[in-house]
């Protein structure tokens, strides 16, 4: 595709009559669904502190067996081949290098439940040996994290809060009492022996032995297989064995995303690597620690001296209407210490991270309560002075993730920016900000490292034509007088994982082209185009017009296995994507242009963007276009259905059809209450044009429905209940509009199972072909 782009520019500049087309002998072919499933998928990865090794998870899909299997791999960073981590097995995850570089931890279910395992690590050769299980907790382990001193590991586990558990205070008190009793018995035995009292000596010796046994039992009782863990295990067993599966709800958020929450809550635990003693750090807490997050992760961090832990928790009485998660710190040296709240915002506070020198604690923060798409700010807490400030108050983008520079003098972060997600760097005054590099794509999971004479970033980088790879890029610090500041290496970041290069070399994948246009209110809006394989500029191509979800999301230079623009283009389509009002990466005012205006400016932006693409690209056949969207994009597809007949077909996946009914069947009520400015009953008695739940309801425009529509919805989607899809399909059928519904009983908001995904793509592409290619010109 780069070759074609150069040819096109050359033709326009110097030879206006010349047109370009793909070379017939290129040897490349369009991507198929099977190709996409054959691609290795990069998961989380870890970097050793000495900067010599990287370990990462690679998931392989077996389409025939309908499975996804992850394996852990390791390779030297400078040079060398990747090999599977010998101490691990398929399905293991979460590898981390110990701070001293001599061990690794990982999560494995080889014993029948997911636990923390340790193995010895040779930092010279990368060899891993002697795997052994550290934990045996019945409720299993997730999100394990080494303490910086390597003496303990924090993790999360879902437990019944009323089962109790092991707190440092109860453990220490029990051991102290048992030890005091044993010491007293030993003193009594010594005194009897000194008095030459045979009977008393024998009795005292028996008492001392009993006391010693009691002390040993006290120590043994701290094993996680005792007491609280037995309670959790028996509760789980009773629930599984019960013939009654009914549940009683006494609170909201009784189901979330794709499962019912039940009575368990995520708790933070600490296990000693030496003694294997497990402590519940949030003993009896009725809340989830950390709260649910789609991005995953533990939401907690150790201070560099391992004496304090920072974590995220939402203590609001009704979490279904609140995003007010706060940052707390816990003194791990004091058995009776209580968590201390250090954040102050009314919105969400997430991802605490201590500076390497221990002076600072940073986190991502939102200012406003109830608004999950408020600007994510970077906050800095001075642990000594106990004050907090926003580091970049004038930076009008979201801080998506961040990582401390090893010298504690600056912070690297990733932020969405006009279809990309580059790396930035700021000092701790917030008055020096650099955007690194010219590498296209989206960065994530960044790891800054500094070695003698070298400073570099290791991270996850993907593009629309390149699945995620672990890459390394040098940071070249330019002369202090240089206006451009530091930049990424002058070359393309080097891949460390190199998972799919052989397959990608065979595929004809287009790069993403950007175009800009002016909306009806003179706002500048960005769109993107992907051309089909073997593109011929003299031909006319049908269009797949993709509408993103969120609504506070964005199309960008990124790879996706669920909505893959390259695969949509592969069978002869131009793919057009527009980032309308509500999209991220263009400033917070642009983000907020959707709230309370779901079918307003976002709709006109989309239509204006499509008009602009049609005018700009003569190879677009505007008589053969299909609109496709999911989540908010599904809502917008439903809205389009009632407001224009320009499309030959529509595909709507998990979209909102009736906002009033969607309010009563969703779980995250804060979303609907913010986006529609209140509850449905706040508007009862008011005209529809003053009621956002009805003003922006696609169902009220059903009499305009004419476009052939494919409806897709899943049973386990609790964000937008399956009833929304059923209502739409019923309406279309009653109106005699050509329609079809694809229903998944075993999927949630996303279609994730390999064979379900194959059916999804086939059904969608067949539907679009049916209504666009039948009238090919």
């Amino acid at each position: 595709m780069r070759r074609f782009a150069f040819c096109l520019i050359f033709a326009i500049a110097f030879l206006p009559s010349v047109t370009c087309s793909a070379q017939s002998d290129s040897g490349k072919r369009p991507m198929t669904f099977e190709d996409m499933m054959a691609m290795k998928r990069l998961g989380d990865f870890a970097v050793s502190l000495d900067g010599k090794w990287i370990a990462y998870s690679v998931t392989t899909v077996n389409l025939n067996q309908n499975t996804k299997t992850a394996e852990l791999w390791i390779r030297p960073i400078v040079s060398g081949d990747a090999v599977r981590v010998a101490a691990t097995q398929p399905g293991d995850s979460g590898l981390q290098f110990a701070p001293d570089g001599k061990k690794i931890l990982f999560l494995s279910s080889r014993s029948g439940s997911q636990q923390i395992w340790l193995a010895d690590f040779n930092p010279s050769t990368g060899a891993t040996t002697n795997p052994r299980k550290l934990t045996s907790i019945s409720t299993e382990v997730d999100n394990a994290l080494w303490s910086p001193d390597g003496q303990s590991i924090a993790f999360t586990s879902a437990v019944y809060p009323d089962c109790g558990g092991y707190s440092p205070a109860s453990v220490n008190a029990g051991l102290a009492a048992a030890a005091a009793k044993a010491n007293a018995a030993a003193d009594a035995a010594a005194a009897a022996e000194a008095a030459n009292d045979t009977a008393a000596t024998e009795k005292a010796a028996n008492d001392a032995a009993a006391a010693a046994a009691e002390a040993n039992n006290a120590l043994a009782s701290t094993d996680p297989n005792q007491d609280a863990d037995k309670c959790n295990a028996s509760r789980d067993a009773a629930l599984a064995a019960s013939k009654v599966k009914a549940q009683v709800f006494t609170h909201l958020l009784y189901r979330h995303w794709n499962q019912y929450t039940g009575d368990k809550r995520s708790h933070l635990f600490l296990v000693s690597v030496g003694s294997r003693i497990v402590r519940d750090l949030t003993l009896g807490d009725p809340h989830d620690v950390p709260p649910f997050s789609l991005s995953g992760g533990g939401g907690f961090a150790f201070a560099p001296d391992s004496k304090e832990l920072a974590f995220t928790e939402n203590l609001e009485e009704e979490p279904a209407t609140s995003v007010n998660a706060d940052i707390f710190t816990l003194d791990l040296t004091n058995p009776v210490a209580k968590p201390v709240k250090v954040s102050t915002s009314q919105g969400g506070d997430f991802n605490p991270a201590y500076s390497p020198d221990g002076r600072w604690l940073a986190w991502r923060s939102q200012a406003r309560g109830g608004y999950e798409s408020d600007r994510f700010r970077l906050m800095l807490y001075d642990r000594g002075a106990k004050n907090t400030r926003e580091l970049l108050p004038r930076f009008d983008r979201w801080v998506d993730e961040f990582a401390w520079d090893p010298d504690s003098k600056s912070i690297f972060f990733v932020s969405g920016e006009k279809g990309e997600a580059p790396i930035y760097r700021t000092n701790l005054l917030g008055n020096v900000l650099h955007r690194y590099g010219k590498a296209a794509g989206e960065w994530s999971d960044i790891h800054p490292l500094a070695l003698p004479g070298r400073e570099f970033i290791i991270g996850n980088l993907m593009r629309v034509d390149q699945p995620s790879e672990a890459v390394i890029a040098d940071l070249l610090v330019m002369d202090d007088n240089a206006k451009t500041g530091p930049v990424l290496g002058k070359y393309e970041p080097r891949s460390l994982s190199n998972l799919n290069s052989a397959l990608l070399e065979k595929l004809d994948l287009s790069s993403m082209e950007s175009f800009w246009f002016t909306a009806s209110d003179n706002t500048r809006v960005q769109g993107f185009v992907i051309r089909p394989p073997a593109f011929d500029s003299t031909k006319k191509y049908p269009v797949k017009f993709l509408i993103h979800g969120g609504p506070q999301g964005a199309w960008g230079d990124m790879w996706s296995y669920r909505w893959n623009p390259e695969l949509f283009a592969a069978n002869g389509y131009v793919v057009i994507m527009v980032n309308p009002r509500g999209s991220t990466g263009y400033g917070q005012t642009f983000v907020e242009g959707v709230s309370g205006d779901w079918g307003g400016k976002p709709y006109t932006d989309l239509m204006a963007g499509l008009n602009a693409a049609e005018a700009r690209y003569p190879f677009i056949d505007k008589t053969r276009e299909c609109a496709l969207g999911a989540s908010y994009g599904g809502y917008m597809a439903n809205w389009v259905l009632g407001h224009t007949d320009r499309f030959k077909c529509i595909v709507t996946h998990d979209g909102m059809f009736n906002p009033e009914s969607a309010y009563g069947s969703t779980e995250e009520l804060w979303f609907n209450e913010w986006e529609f400015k209140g509850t449905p009953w706040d508007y009862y008695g008011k005209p529809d044009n003053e009621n956002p739940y009805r003003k922006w309801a696609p169902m009220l425009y059903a009499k305009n429905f004419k476009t052939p529509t494919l409806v897709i919805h899943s049973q386990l989607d609790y964000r937008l209940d399956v009833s929304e899809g059923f209502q739409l399909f019923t309406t279309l059928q009653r109106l005699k509009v050509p329609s079809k519904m694809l229903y998944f009983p075993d999927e949630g908001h996303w279609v994730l199972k390999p064979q379900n995904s194959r059916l999804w793509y086939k059904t969608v592409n067949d539907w679009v072909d049916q209504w666009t290619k039948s009238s090919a010109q």
Side-chain angles (χ1 to χ4, degrees):
M1 187 55 212
R2 292 188 184 93
R3 189 161 58 247
F4 168 76
F6 173 80
C7 181
L8 180 62
I9 294 170
F10 183 87
I12 292 174
F14 301 103
L15 299 170
S17 62
V18 174
T19 59
C20 301
S21 61
Q23 296 296 317
S24 60
D25 60 352
S26 68
K28 295 193 174 186
R29 58 176 175 78
M31 181 172 66
T32 66
F33 176 81
E34 287 70 24
D35 289 327
M36 190 174 71
M37 289 296 104
M39 292 178 183
K40 307 292 186 181
R41 307 186 185 191
L42 179 69
D44 55 350
F45 59 90
V47 179
S48 63
L49 291 182
D50 61 8
K52 295 180 178 179
W53 298 94
I54 179 174
Y56 49 87
S57 173
V58 178
T59 296
T60 302
V61 174
N62 187 315
L63 188 54
N64 291 332
Q65 296 181 11
N66 203 31
T67 59
K68 299 177 183 177
T69 303
E71 291 185 304
L72 295 170
W73 292 74
I74 189 170
R75 63 152 290 169
I77 290 175
V78 175
S79 65
D81 296 327
V83 297
R84 196 176 65 80
V85 180
T88 65
Q89 296 181 356
D92 293 350
S93 63
L95 186 147
Q96 291 182 28
F97 296 95
D100 65 3
K102 297 179 180 179
K103 291 189 292 292
I104 60 169
L105 73 74
F106 57 94
L107 302 180
S108 179
S109 299
R110 67 186 70 181
S111 62
S113 63
Q114 183 163 285
Q115 304 294 335
I116 298 173
W117 285 67
L118 304 179
D120 297 325
F121 178 68
N122 186 328
S124 298
T125 65
T128 56
T129 56
N130 188 28
R132 65 268 189 195
K133 187 170 65 170
L134 177 66
T135 60
S136 300
I137 187 169
S138 71
T139 49
E140 305 196 37
V141 171
D142 204 359
N143 303 310
L145 178 68
W146 280 108
S147 63
D149 62 9
Q151 299 302 303
S152 58
I153 296 170
F155 65 90
T156 62
S157 186
V159 299
Y160 297 97
D162 56 346
C163 271
Y166 309 107
S167 69
S170 64
V171 170
N172 291 347
L175 291 176
K181 188 173 182 179
N183 290 335
D187 290 343
E193 184 176 5
N196 202 25
D197 186 335
T198 304
T201 299
E202 183 176 354
K203 180 179 183 304
N206 290 335
D207 289 344
E214 185 176 340
N216 287 331
N217 289 335
L219 178 61
S221 71
T222 62
D223 186 278
N225 289 317
Q226 304 295 322
D227 299 336
D229 200 57
K230 286 184 176 179
C231 172
N232 281 289
S234 63
R235 292 271 292 275
D236 280 340
L239 186 64
S242 176
K243 303 299 183 184
V244 178
K245 302 303 180 184
Q247 298 184 49
V248 176
F249 306 135
T250 58
H251 56 80
L252 292 177
L253 214 62
Y254 51 83
R255 62 179 188 174
H256 202 183
W257 204 247
N258 62 359
Q259 63 183 358
Y260 283 77
T261 55
D263 295 325
K264 282 186 170 182
R265 296 293 177 267
S266 175
H267 276 198
L268 265 177
F269 288 81
L270 192 70
V271 57
S272 168
V273 174
S275 69
R276 299 180 65 249
I277 292 176
V278 176
R279 301 174 177 179
D280 186 342
L281 299 178
T282 50
L283 185 66
D285 196 326
H287 306 92
D288 282 312
V289 183
F292 171 86
S293 171
L294 282 177
S295 59
F300 55 89
F302 281 100
D305 61 6
S306 302
K307 295 179 180 179
E308 184 177 279
L309 192 74
F311 61 89
T312 302
E313 182 173 11
N314 185 343
L315 294 180
E316 292 289 311
E317 181 179 355
E318 186 46 77
T321 60
S322 169
V323 297
N324 186 23
D326 282 302
I327 304 297
F328 295 83
T329 61
L330 180 63
D331 182 357
L332 298 178
T333 68
N334 180 0
V336 296
K338 301 294 183 183
V340 176
K341 185 165 77 77
V342 295
S343 60
T344 59
S345 77
Q346 297 300 306
D349 296 286
F350 304 98
N351 311 111
Y354 291 89
S355 60
D357 64 6
R359 178 180 176 183
W360 309 96
L361 177 62
W363 62 82
R364 297 166 64 239
S365 177
Q366 297 173 303
R368 289 173 284 183
Y371 186 23
E372 68 175 0
S373 295
D374 197 11
R375 180 171 67 90
F376 280 96
R377 306 170 297 162
L378 185 58
M379 306 302 291
L380 199 61
Y381 175 70
D382 188 325
R383 298 176 67 202
K386 300 186 184 306
N387 58 44
T388 305
R389 59 186 170 88
E390 182 180 355
L391 188 56
L392 298 166
R394 293 184 296 276
F395 185 74
D396 192 28
R397 300 290 187 273
W398 291 7
V399 175
D400 296 324
E401 64 169 83
F402 70 93
W404 281 94
D405 192 319
D407 66 4
S408 298
K409 295 180 180 179
S410 62
I411 294 177
F412 295 87
F413 65 93
V414 175
S415 178
E417 173 73 21
K418 299 174 183 176
E420 296 183 350
I423 299 172
Y424 292 81
R425 188 182 200 174
T426 177
N427 66 3
L428 299 191
L429 296 176
N431 59 7
V432 177
L433 180 65
H434 296 295
R435 182 186 190 275
Y436 276 94
K438 298 180 180 179
E442 297 199 356
W443 286 85
S444 62
D445 201 3
I446 56 173
H447 298 254
L449 286 175
L451 299 176
R454 186 182 184 192
E455 186 179 22
F456 56 91
I457 286 276
I458 292 176
N460 181 325
L461 180 62
M462 62 177 169
R463 299 191 301 266
V464 74
D465 58 350
Q466 171 72 64
S468 293
E469 294 282 1
V471 302
I472 181 171
D474 282 297
L475 301 178
L476 304 180
V477 179
M478 301 180 69
D479 185 274
D480 290 340
N481 296 321
K483 295 181 180 180
T484 56
V487 296
L488 267 174
K490 297 179 181 178
Y491 49 85
E492 188 81 1
R494 176 170 63 90
S495 176
L496 295 172
S497 51
N498 199 31
L499 299 179
N500 298 296
S501 57
L503 176 56
L504 291 172
E505 282 296 320
K506 301 176 183 178
L507 304 180
D508 187 351
L509 301 176
S510 298
S511 58
M512 187 173 72
E513 304 172 44
S514 170
F515 68 92
W516 290 83
F517 62 94
T518 302
S520 58
D521 62 352
N522 294 320
T523 298
R524 294 278 288 166
V525 182
Q526 188 178 25
F528 306 97
V529 168
I530 292 180
R531 306 182 189 213
F535 175 75
D536 184 342
S537 60
T538 66
K539 293 183 178 180
K540 291 278 191 178
Y541 292 91
V543 169
K544 290 175 180 173
F545 184 54
L546 307 186
I547 308 172
H548 72 65
Q552 294 87 358
W555 295 119
D557 198 1
M558 60 176 289
W559 185 268
S560 171
Y561 289 99
R562 292 181 290 106
W563 280 66
N564 188 291
E566 299 283 2
L567 191 54
F568 281 133
N571 63 330
Y573 286 83
V574 172
V575 172
I576 300 175
M577 301 171 286
V578 171
N579 282 339
R581 237 64 65 97
S583 300
T584 57
Y586 305 91
Q588 192 62 26
T589 298
F590 196 87
V591 171
E592 296 181 7
V594 67
S595 298
D597 193 33
W598 270 35
K601 285 189 287 293
Y603 170 73
T604 58
D605 287 352
L606 289 166
M607 295 303 102
L610 184 54
N611 292 340
E614 292 170 351
R616 182 185 182 96
Y617 300 104
F619 49 80
I620 288 175
D621 185 346
K622 62 183 180 181
T623 69
R624 295 187 293 143
E625 297 173 334
C626 187
L628 306 87
S631 195
Y632 172 80
Y635 161 86
M636 182 54 70
N638 298 341
W639 186 257
V640 164
L641 179 61
H643 287 80
T644 180
D645 296 332
R646 71 184 295 174
F647 296 101
K648 287 291 185 180
C649 64
I650 288 174
V651 177
T652 172
H653 177 121
D654 290 0
M656 185 185 294
F657 180 63
N658 178 353
E660 287 183 324
S661 64
Y663 177 87
S665 58
T666 192
E667 10 80 296
E668 296 180 351
L669 292 174
W670 66 75
F671 176 83
N672 300 61
E673 292 184 6
W674 184 276
E675 294 300 316
F676 293 97
K677 307 302 181 185
T679 67
W681 52 87
D682 291 334
Y683 299 100
Y684 284 173
K686 295 183 179 180
D688 287 352
N689 64 359
E690 296 179 14
N691 176 358
Y693 284 91
R694 296 182 67 80
K695 180 178 181 180
W696 307 122
M699 68 168 187
L700 294 186
Y701 296 88
K703 288 187 177 181
N704 298 333
F705 292 177
K706 297 182 180 66
T707 307
T709 299
L710 171 64
V711 181
I712 307 172
H713 225 109
S714 301
Q715 186 66 47
L716 304 181
D717 184 357
Y718 302 147
R719 288 295 297 110
L720 283 158
D721 190 78
V722 68
S723 59
E724 294 299 301
F726 290 152
Q727 290 181 69
L728 172 59
F729 183 62
T730 297
T731 303
L732 290 166
Q733 288 285 297
R734 290 289 293 124
L735 292 171
K736 305 298 183 183
V737 175
S739 53
K740 180 186 294 186
M741 182 165 186
L742 176 59
Y743 164 75
F744 291 101
D746 56 347
E747 297 283 6
H749 200 58
W750 300 324
V751 175
L752 300 177
K753 297 179 180 179
Q755 291 187 16
N756 283 347
S757 180
R758 176 167 58 185
L759 175 62
W760 187 94
Y761 272 103
K762 184 180 188 309
T763 306
V764 169
N765 284 329
D766 286 352
W767 183 259
V768 180
D769 287 349
Q770 176 183 346
W771 297 101
T772 61
K773 290 196 170 180
S774 61
S775 57
Q777 296 179 352

